[in-house]
Amino acid sequence: MSQYKLKVKKGDTIVVLSGKDKGKQGKVLKAMPKKDKVIVEGINKVKRHTKPNQNVPKGGIIPKEAPMHAAKVMVVCPACSKPTRVAKKEVNGKMVRVCKKCGELLDQAK
């Protein structure tokens, strides 16, 4: 268990640093800070053997994304389109994530 917060959030575009999907990009579907894991769209696919049920009436082998360790991914900056480390900066009294390469904000105003 990690005592630190994740640098990636749901909705971020990331690039995979190591493993079978090295170099691939995807969008974070779910971040699990307590387990230090993330689920990325189209990355780390595994096959799940499922019995027929209400959700899957036919059953069978269903491909789905499995969680992967957060240390294996790096955030891609939307401004400079490069993988970057994340810095924290205070803007208008709020801490926001900033690209280390170009200095642009990673968190968009909501």
Side-chain angles (χ1 to χ4, degrees):
M1 295 250 206
S2 173
Q3 60 183 353
Y4 304 106
K5 290 186 177 181
L6 292 182
K7 304 290 186 190
V8 292
K9 288 183 179 179
K10 182 180 174 179
D12 282 349
T13 303
I14 57 95
V15 65
V16 180
L17 301 176
S18 65
K20 65 180 181 181
D21 295 316
K22 181 178 179 176
K24 291 185 183 177
Q25 287 192 2
K27 194 174 182 181
V28 176
L29 299 175
K30 187 176 182 183
M32 299 176 268
K34 286 186 179 176
K35 294 182 179 179
D36 254 355
K37 297 196 182 267
V38 290
I39 296 177
V40 184
E41 186 177 33
I43 308 285
N44 198 23
K45 289 269 205 175
V46 294
K47 290 185 176 167
R48 173 96 174 112
H49 294 68
T50 310
K51 281 182 164 183
N53 58 32
Q54 276 190 322
N55 298 339
V56 188
K58 240 182 170 179
I61 303 169
I62 298 162
K64 69 175 210 167
E65 292 93 359
M68 64 187 308
H69 202 276
K72 288 188 171 194
V73 301
M74 188 177 263
V75 178
V76 175
C77 175
C80 61
S81 302
K82 294 179 183 173
T84 180
R85 288 178 294 140
V86 177
K88 294 274 187 167
K89 185 177 173 184
E90 191 172 343
V91 176
N92 298 334
K94 279 194 169 183
M95 292 301 283
V96 292
R97 299 178 307 150
V98 178
C99 172
K100 279 260 193 176
K101 290 194 176 177
C102 68
E104 284 292 317
L105 297 178
L106 296 174
D107 297 323
Q108 281 75 30
K110 292 174 178 147

